[in-house]
Amino acid sequence: MDKLGVDRRQAALSDISADPRLDAVFRYWQALAGDRPMPEPRDIDPTGLPPAVLPYITLFDVIDEGRTFRMRLVGSASVAAVGSDYTGKYLDESMSGDVLTAARARYRAAI
């Protein structure tokens, strides 16, 4: 809880459950995780995700314990938004500078 008494995790979960697509992904994630904090990467099968979310999903492979990341899957909505398909590309092939630095920091924090 923060100094205002807000449980940020509960607030985030509330936001997730308000969106049916996010809620479906979160339920899939929880089912795969079981009693663990999160599922193992090998547990995640894109075909197990709700079809409505697949265009918005980007899955990353962690390379060299987080030194870099490769985009394993980039959904069609993401491709349309940026105008390029970066599936199979490394992070530094799709961004640079401060954007790359910030993305690496976010992804490293998640592993």
Side-chain angles (χ1 to χ4, degrees):
M1 265 198 229
D2 69 10
K3 63 184 178 184
L4 299 176
V6 175
D7 183 338
R8 293 191 188 277
R9 185 172 191 276
Q10 278 306 116
L13 293 177
S14 175
D15 288 347
I16 288 170
S17 65
D19 183 319
R21 291 176 299 192
L22 290 177
D23 186 56
V25 171
F26 184 64
R27 284 186 279 113
Y28 173 73
W29 181 271
Q30 285 182 309
L32 293 178
D35 294 333
R36 301 171 296 178
M38 66 182 67
E40 292 292 325
R42 67 178 174 272
D43 298 335
I44 300 169
D45 178 358
T47 63
L49 290 164
V53 303
L54 289 177
Y56 304 95
I57 294 290
T58 300
L59 298 178
F60 291 90
D61 291 322
V62 178
I63 308 298
D64 293 334
E65 298 180 358
R67 281 188 63 134
T68 193
F69 302 86
R70 182 176 41 237
M71 289 171 257
R72 179 170 23 136
L73 171 74
V74 180
S76 59
S78 297
V79 170
V82 299
S84 294
D85 185 355
Y86 291 106
T87 299
K89 304 283 186 188
Y90 290 91
L91 220 51
D92 62 359
E93 294 176 290
S94 65
M95 56 187 76
S96 61
D98 291 342
V99 173
L100 175 60
T101 300
R104 281 183 177 146
R106 280 193 308 271
Y107 302 151
R108 286 175 181 149
I111 56 173

